[in-house]
Amino acid sequence: MKIGLFLCDCGTNIAGVLDIKAIMEHFKTYPEIYVFEDKYLCAELGLNLIADEIKENKIDRVVIAACSFKLHGELFRNSIEKTGINRYLIAFANIREQNSWVHANEPMRATEKAIDQIDMAIERVKLLKPLKRRKAKITPSVLIIGGGIAGIKASLQIADAGYKVYLVEREPTIGGKMALFDKTFPTLDCSICILGPIMVEVKDHPNIELLTYSEVKEVSGYIGNFEITIEKKPRFIFEDKCVGCFEICREVCPIDVEDTFFPRKAIDVSYPQAIPLIPNILEEYCIGCKACEIACGEREAINFSQTKEIKRFKVGAIIVATGYKTFDPTILGEYNYTKYPNIITGLEMERLLNTDGPTKGVILKPSDGSIPKSISFILCVGSRNKKINHEYCSQVCCNYSVKQAILAKKQIKNLDIMIYYTDIRAIGKFCEEFYNRAREEFQIRFIKSNISTIIKSDTSNELLLRGENILDDHLFENPTELVVLAVGIEPAEGTEELAQILNISTDTYGFLLESHLKVRPSDSSVKGIYIAGAIQFPKDIPNSISQAESTASKTIALLTKGEIELDPLVVQYNRDLCDLCRLCENVCVFNAIEIENEQLHIIEANCVGCGACAAMCHKNALTVPGFTKEEIITQLKVITDKKKESPLIVTFLCNWCSYIGADLAGTSKIQYPTNTRPIHVMCTAMIDPALVFEALFNGADGVLIAGCHPQDCHYTTGFIKAENRYESIISMLEELKINNNRVKIISISAGEGQKFADTIKEFSETLKNLGPISKDLKNIK
Amino acid sequence: MEDLKSDRILEIKDDISDELRKAGYAEIGACIQCGNCTASCPSGRRTAMRTRSIVREALLGLDEVLSDKELWLCTTCYTCFERCPRNIPITDIIIFLRNLAVQRGHILPNHLNLCRMFYDTGHGVPINDEKWNIMRESYGVSRVPPTVHAHPKAVKEVQELISCVGFDKTIAWGKYAKKEEKAEKK
């Protein structure tokens, strides 16, 4: 066996912290190892070096010590495959995200950690076995969740390419937020005039099946083969009989749904351009007078006995484009949003400006319906605010406020407009020019001040804005008649639930987490599920559309392949070792294990490779390739034999959440102690308690098991199984008189880099106080 | 034409923001000078106190942040901290700056008197008027309360404690006090 160790400097990213020379010298003393180093292994030159050296030195196994395998793992696998080595005979040492980037101030210790990490990879690669990839057909259809501008554009592009699209929208109409706007910045063209025709195109497209008023309830399967369950809410209308002459039924309905900004009848359409142009009856408001049924007459389109429908279908890929909701300013009590009707949000202002809105486009004060003489805009409401975990800039508020100010100025003569800002961020093409026009042409005044509170004047009906004019240290209480809070953007309602259904990750703010911020911005954490639009992060219309189109292209590229190669990470069964104890049978929730007539069968198609069964198997008859007990123990031995740190922590990281979370700590450069040695597992459920004791008995001072939050688990109940096993680990520790604080289980999502760093810090402290493990092990004798 | 001089900020050596960082107030660096703190300040609405300016001067390391009387006008109501979008513990920082100010000899005469009172009697507000003793008697309690007042020896202990923590030196006892007194008389 000849192993090639390829070390990457990554410019100064790795070499700037780690002593690469020392590492090379160390490994050159190993007889079976060939060591190579390059400035950038992932670049063309680096990859060529790998290929050349493999051929020249007849290398048959490869260790890559570089960035996280989550970033370039596939690239390196493809490269060695080209030289004739099986793509699974490779192991990775993550010495960037989980080393040099997080230990920048401790180069010596970091170098020692890197040597351990590489040693672990070397020992692991020795045990790996060649595997064959599985092939699966791709269902040539796509599910798109969310019928806003991003979902609409993606649907049309994919449908045009000839693939079937299921477009699911929660509201009764597609169009999303864009359909509610009056004009768009910076061009001031009418929003619905651009959007309306595209919405009609969606309705008429033969390849698009529109599922409005529907929600995704269940998703199972994998890339190329997802099984979808949709629940369609009852409209109480026969969609095939209704012709959309909605005035007739609406006219006779006696129930006004009172809403200042979204008024409607109990039977109504959302707005006249709605697609599909079919009204719905709001169950909670309808009094059942059936006047609409009589008005509808012979068409008989109204159906009071309609119930929800369930629809199931298969798709090859999923695009999530669920968009955003606006920030609810009631949480900031000092703005008195609910107390005074003349304080409105940006979206409500948009309704006042819209010709199809409640006031037919006339700006009126909600308190008395009169025309305001002055309007004040407050920017950054709910944005750039650490206190409420909204540290991000919402990207669009400056621009939409400038737009609304201009539109208001155009409408009302001698209107006095003030915009209170902290910083103006007129981002986007032609937006700075737009902002300049607001100042030059429309004489809108901009005051640099973050308003601290809005109160009511004692002497008049006006509102008073209290603030400090930053530029002259001057305190003011400025009167105004109408206040517009430029509220920021949050992930759409129900994003958390949807992320759980899809098993994809969210970031610290609840937006969907992309696979890589720069090079894979539209991939979610699960293959075959993509993201588009403002559900990834606040975006304006042009940016949402750009991402929708790129996501659509990615999806088309996937579907066009027709077939996909999958990692053969399914459990392997050795009949000779099995004693048919049947412990594995119940632990599998995917029906992948079947025991009939004293014979155990693995149903490969059902197996997801979580390894929960393998952890239960006391005979080692069940194994997940790459993650066998032998392969994990060999890594543990490397760590504990040398024991370079005290306290020494062995950290198991699950593939789907915690490993990515630990990587995120790296990309965010959050520093934590060097005394942790990460071991990658597919799921925390595959960790046999014996492995934890193996670590402790051999000298690890503590073991950290980090997995998904239970509700996010990629294997549904994997983390819960790990938690159950943790209980038994704890009781065994107690029996052995080993302090039970030495083993810790924790949920760290892919978005929780900070939490990972904090956990390591805290756990180190705990273990420091407990002293070395040898103290506890004495008790055993 | 007058010659342009370099910005005095470039010349500052005494870095107050370094002290703040050392004390664990690194968040102050995140201040975006939005002014919400000043506008939220109930004291600032009636006095010359400008919270944002204090933060700015502290960040830039301007010495006047310690010498200005403004620093002592904060009522520690914590409204600025509550509304700060950067989650900067402004009130705690002001208290820290006050400590720093005193360490560097910036103390208001009234505060100095209070400290002296405390040093002399063990009380910041001692019973220094016979009428209080009479009033106590009328309520049926002892003329002198069972505090340091009743135990003159304990004053020594208080003074010892004060010198143990170096507070006597911090306020430059004696020499500094006399200087202040002179200044006041003028």
Side-chain angles (χ1 to χ4, degrees):
Chain A
M1 187 182 297
K2 283 183 183 173
I3 300 171
L5 166 61
F6 294 91
L7 275 161
C8 181
D9 294 349
C10 196
T12 54
N13 281 309
I14 293 173
V17 176
L18 304 181
D19 187 345
I20 296 286
K21 262 196 188 146
I23 297 174
M24 286 183 65
E25 290 310 314
H26 176 91
F27 286 102
K28 274 182 183 163
T29 60
Y30 289 38
E32 77 279 29
I33 309 281
Y34 289 78
V35 190
F36 307 96
E37 175 244 356
D38 194 52
K39 203 164 181 196
Y40 294 103
L41 276 185
C42 60
E44 178 82 27
L45 280 172
L47 294 172
N48 287 344
L49 170 95
I50 294 175
D52 293 347
E53 297 297 343
I54 286 174
K55 279 180 202 153
E56 212 165 287
N57 297 298
K58 297 195 175 120
I59 288 167
D60 52 13
R61 272 156 209 251
V62 174
V63 170
I64 303 275
C67 56
S68 171
F69 74 90
K70 293 270 174 194
L71 189 65
H72 290 319
E74 287 298 299
L75 182 72
F76 291 125
R77 282 186 199 279
N78 291 339
S79 306
I80 69 159
E81 196 167 43
K82 277 182 206 155
T83 68
I85 303 180
N86 183 281
R87 64 187 287 116
Y88 297 99
L89 296 180
I90 185 169
F92 300 93
N94 182 348
I95 57 168
R96 193 178 76 170
E97 280 84 347
Q98 295 184 17
N99 192 333
S100 68
W101 273 352
V102 288
H103 308 313
N105 305 321
E106 294 179 276
M108 300 277 280
R109 281 165 170 242
T111 304
E112 286 302 316
K113 179 178 172 179
I115 291 175
D116 271 8
Q117 285 177 297
I118 296 168
D119 259 331
M120 287 160 73
I122 290 172
E123 292 308 316
R124 181 162 176 254
V125 85
K126 285 180 188 167
L127 297 175
L128 293 177
K129 294 191 176 71
L131 299 169
K132 243 185 151 176
R133 291 185 109 181
R134 289 189 293 166
K135 283 189 176 174
K137 284 229 149 53
I138 294 175
T139 312
S141 56
V142 184
L143 164 69
I144 295 180
I145 310 171
I149 183 63
I152 288 174
K153 286 298 271 187
S155 299
L156 284 171
Q157 197 172 327
I158 296 168
D160 278 346
Y163 296 105
K164 165 105 183 173
V165 173
Y166 298 92
L167 178 58
V168 175
E169 166 59 50
R170 178 164 56 186
E171 299 297 324
T173 172
I174 56 167
K177 292 281 189 300
M178 186 178 167
L180 304 174
F181 303 158
D182 179 44
K183 304 276 196 302
T184 55
F185 64 78
T187 44
L188 291 187
D189 37 5
C190 158
S191 191
I192 198 73
C193 315
I194 323 171
L195 183 61
I198 314 178
M199 286 161 67
V200 176
E201 218 181 304
V202 169
K203 185 194 71 177
D204 293 337
H205 206 294
N207 286 341
I208 299 178
E209 185 169 337
L210 198 52
L211 297 160
T212 49
Y213 220 28
S214 305
E215 282 187 66
V216 176
K217 285 289 159 195
E218 263 176 64
V219 172
S220 60
Y222 51 91
I223 179 167
N225 297 279
F226 291 105
E227 309 243 0
I228 315 291
T229 308
I230 301 288
E231 188 183 287
K232 195 169 169 50
K233 286 174 267 184
R235 277 178 190 267
F236 303 103
I237 308 283
F238 287 115
E239 290 189 19
D240 47 344
K241 288 185 185 165
C242 177
V243 291
C245 60
F246 60 94
E247 292 291 353
I248 292 171
C249 50
R250 179 169 78 174
E251 209 91 304
V252 297
C253 180
I255 303 299
D256 283 309
V257 178
E258 281 183 26
D259 184 314
T260 317
F261 300 98
F262 297 91
R264 57 168 284 164
K265 290 284 187 78
I267 180 167
D268 210 335
V269 292
S270 304
Y271 40 81
Q273 297 87 349
I275 296 287
L277 194 60
I278 298 168
N280 64 317
I281 297 175
L282 293 177
E283 216 176 348
E284 61 271 39
Y285 290 99
C286 175
I287 52 167
C289 70
K290 301 200 173 175
C292 50
E293 197 177 10
I294 298 160
C296 190
E298 276 178 9
R299 294 214 175 276
E300 293 180 337
I302 291 169
N303 172 13
F304 281 98
S305 56
Q306 209 171 45
T307 51
K308 66 180 179 198
E309 279 172 55
I310 299 289
K311 194 175 162 65
R312 292 195 174 82
F313 50 88
K314 272 184 88 173
V315 296
I318 301 172
I319 296 175
V320 190
T322 44
Y324 67 94
K325 69 169 188 279
T326 53
F327 172 74
D328 176 6
T330 47
I331 190 174
L332 300 170
E334 59 268 31
Y335 289 147
N336 288 318
Y337 168 66
T338 41
K339 201 166 169 189
Y340 305 125
N342 288 347
I343 303 176
I344 62 174
T345 68
L347 190 60
E348 288 165 352
M349 181 63 173
E350 213 59 62
R351 296 304 293 154
L352 293 186
L353 288 164
N354 194 322
T355 353
D356 289 321
T359 55
K360 305 277 172 237
V362 184
I363 303 168
L364 301 174
K365 288 193 286 178
S367 62
D368 58 4
S370 65
I371 293 170
K373 291 187 189 70
S374 58
I375 303 180
S376 296
F377 291 82
I378 301 179
L379 300 190
C380 291
V381 176
S383 302
R384 306 176 70 198
N385 191 335
K386 270 173 114 170
K387 198 134 259 158
I388 49 172
N389 190 28
H390 280 53
E391 211 175 327
Y392 57 90
C393 165
S394 289
Q395 315 270 331
V396 294
C397 326
C398 288
N399 283 333
Y400 82 59
S401 298
V402 167
K403 173 195 77 180
Q404 290 176 350
I406 289 176
L407 293 175
K409 196 89 179 184
K410 279 184 169 180
Q411 188 181 113
I412 305 168
K413 267 188 189 170
N414 301 324
L415 179 67
D416 185 20
I417 295 187
M418 304 269 210
I419 295 185
Y420 296 92
Y421 69 100
T422 303
D423 297 292
I424 291 286
R425 295 183 168 173
I427 309 161
K429 191 168 181 176
F430 298 136
C431 288
E432 187 68 23
E433 293 88 329
F434 187 56
Y435 164 49
N436 284 344
R437 264 176 71 204
R439 283 175 171 265
E440 265 177 54
E441 196 178 315
F442 294 95
Q443 292 166 21
I444 290 159
R445 268 181 288 172
F446 289 79
I447 297 170
K448 189 167 168 63
S449 172
N450 184 357
I451 297 301
S452 78
T453 185
I454 306 169
I455 47 175
K456 199 153 183 270
S457 163
D458 289 336
T459 49
S460 70
N461 280 330
E462 287 174 320
L463 296 161
L464 297 176
L465 306 185
R466 197 175 268 171
E468 182 200 16
N469 190 339
I470 302 301
L471 301 179
D472 64 1
D473 269 14
H474 174 74
L475 284 167
F476 61 77
E477 259 179 18
N478 284 354
T480 187
E481 293 196 349
L482 184 66
V483 178
V484 181
L485 304 176
V487 287
I489 282 177
E490 287 181 338
E493 198 80 55
T495 302
E496 212 186 315
E497 291 82 356
L498 184 64
Q500 281 168 23
I501 291 171
L502 296 167
N503 255 319
I504 55 179
S505 307
T506 52
D507 65 18
T508 38
Y509 307 117
F511 289 105
L512 294 185
L513 189 70
E514 61 290 318
S515 173
H516 189 281
L517 186 56
K518 295 187 183 67
V519 294
R520 282 198 287 269
S522 309
D523 292 36
S524 76
S525 50
V526 173
K527 280 185 185 169
I529 302 183
Y530 304 100
I531 45 186
I535 192 58
Q536 183 213 0
F537 198 65
K539 286 190 190 73
D540 59 4
I541 295 167
N543 280 317
S544 293
I545 295 177
S546 303
Q547 197 183 15
E549 291 184 341
S550 74
T551 304
S553 303
K554 280 185 86 97
T555 313
I556 293 166
L558 172 73
L559 300 185
T560 310
K561 274 201 259 175
E563 201 177 53
I564 184 145
E565 287 187 308
L566 300 168
D567 284 336
L569 281 183
V570 291
V571 78
Q572 292 182 349
Y573 175 55
N574 187 338
R575 180 152 297 140
D576 301 335
L577 297 175
C578 178
D579 65 356
L580 277 178
C581 71
R582 304 187 85 127
L583 279 174
C584 53
E585 197 181 8
N586 290 329
V587 83
C588 181
V589 292
F590 301 99
N591 297 325
I593 296 177
E594 215 177 58
I595 301 179
E596 254 175 44
N597 304 328
E598 304 277 298
Q599 292 242 336
L600 188 147
H601 298 281
I602 302 288
I603 303 162
E604 273 195 18
N606 287 351
C607 179
V608 292
C610 69
C613 56
M616 296 297 284
C617 184
H618 62 125
K619 290 279 182 189
N620 280 342
L622 294 169
T623 48
V624 179
F627 301 93
T628 62
K629 280 174 202 164
E630 210 189 344
E631 282 157 352
I632 293 175
I633 287 171
T634 186
Q635 295 179 65
L636 287 172
K637 283 229 168 88
V638 169
I639 305 169
T640 52
D641 281 359
K642 294 183 186 165
K643 196 169 182 186
K644 290 174 182 165
E645 301 258 7
S646 183
L648 177 69
I649 305 173
V650 170
T651 310
F652 290 103
L653 296 169
C654 100
N655 180 61
W656 304 96
C657 293
S658 303
Y659 196 91
I660 307 174
D663 277 357
L664 183 63
T667 39
S668 320
K669 315 288 187 307
I670 305 168
Q671 305 294 305
Y672 57 83
T674 51
N675 59 347
T676 162
R677 299 289 181 268
I679 295 182
H680 170 239
V681 290
M682 288 310 288
C683 176
T684 45
M686 63 163 53
I687 302 168
D688 183 342
L691 295 171
V692 174
F693 287 99
E694 184 77 26
L696 293 175
F697 290 163
N698 286 311
D701 300 301
V703 176
L704 179 69
I705 301 168
C708 307
H709 288 269
Q711 68 274 18
D712 302 338
C713 178
H714 189 78
Y715 304 111
T716 328
T717 55
F719 188 74
I720 295 169
K721 284 174 192 143
E723 275 182 318
N724 291 340
R725 292 212 181 101
Y726 175 72
E727 302 276 311
S728 55
I729 290 172
I730 289 296
S731 54
M732 279 190 263
L733 286 172
E734 275 162 12
E735 250 173 64
L736 291 168
K737 299 214 169 74
I738 298 177
N739 192 304
N740 60 18
N741 288 324
R742 289 192 185 275
V743 182
K744 193 178 162 99
I745 189 164
I746 192 160
S747 295
I748 294 171
S749 79
E752 291 176 328
Q754 183 70 50
K755 187 177 175 186
F756 178 75
D758 291 345
T759 306
I760 296 291
K761 273 183 224 162
E762 277 164 33
F763 196 38
S764 291
E765 283 305 310
T766 313
L767 293 175
K768 237 180 238 169
N769 293 333
L770 290 177
I773 184 81
S774 48
K775 246 171 66 184
D776 290 23
L777 292 180
K778 272 180 206 155
N779 301 335
I780 295 175
K781 290 165 195 169
Chain B
M1 208 177 108
E2 206 182 323
D3 280 347
L4 286 174
K5 282 179 189 158
S6 72
D7 193 323
R8 79 187 167 104
I9 290 163
L10 294 175
E11 293 160 13
I12 292 162
K13 282 174 194 142
D14 179 13
D15 198 354
I16 296 167
S17 73
D18 267 2
E19 293 281 343
L20 281 163
R21 254 167 223 283
K22 263 188 260 164
Y25 296 116
E27 302 102 318
I28 193 173
C31 175
I32 46 171
Q33 293 285 305
C34 70
N36 203 324
C37 49
T38 314
S40 305
C41 181
S43 169
R45 276 212 299 286
R46 286 163 183 82
T47 67
M49 178 165 169
R50 294 289 178 267
T51 319
R52 181 184 59 83
S53 302
I54 291 177
V55 174
R56 178 178 165 271
E57 287 164 9
L59 262 172
L60 295 177
L62 303 179
D63 224 14
E64 56 255 41
V65 69
L66 301 180
S67 57
D68 277 1
K69 278 186 181 173
E70 272 190 30
L71 189 59
W72 301 91
L73 296 174
C74 165
T75 63
T76 66
C77 74
Y78 281 91
T79 313
C80 51
F81 176 34
E82 199 172 296
R83 291 192 188 157
C84 174
R86 286 300 195 232
N87 209 10
I88 300 168
I90 305 167
T91 318
D92 296 344
I93 286 171
I94 288 176
I95 293 169
F96 176 83
L97 290 173
R98 285 174 174 179
N99 285 330
L100 199 64
V102 171
Q103 275 167 27
R104 297 188 183 181
H106 303 292
I107 187 164
L108 299 181
N110 286 346
H111 295 162
L112 191 64
N113 281 340
L114 191 90
C115 295
R116 172 183 277 175
M117 212 77 97
F118 183 59
Y119 188 84
D120 289 344
T121 68
H123 282 270
V125 185
I127 299 181
N128 51 8
D129 192 332
E130 179 60 14
K131 77 174 179 199
W132 300 117
N133 300 78
I134 297 166
M135 196 180 276
R136 284 182 63 87
E137 227 167 12
S138 75
Y139 286 123
V141 293
S142 63
R143 268 176 63 84
V144 181
T147 61
V148 193
H149 280 310
H151 305 279
K153 274 186 190 166
V155 177
K156 281 255 147 48
E157 279 177 40
V158 170
Q159 289 171 349
E160 212 178 302
L161 281 172
I162 290 176
S163 49
C164 269
V165 296
F167 189 57
D168 54 343
K169 279 178 201 140
T170 304
I171 54 174
W173 199 253
K175 216 168 116 192
Y176 180 81
K178 273 174 199 159
K179 227 202 278 176
E180 279 288 309
E181 269 172 343
K182 270 183 206 162
E184 243 181 290
K185 272 174 197 166
K186 273 180 196 170

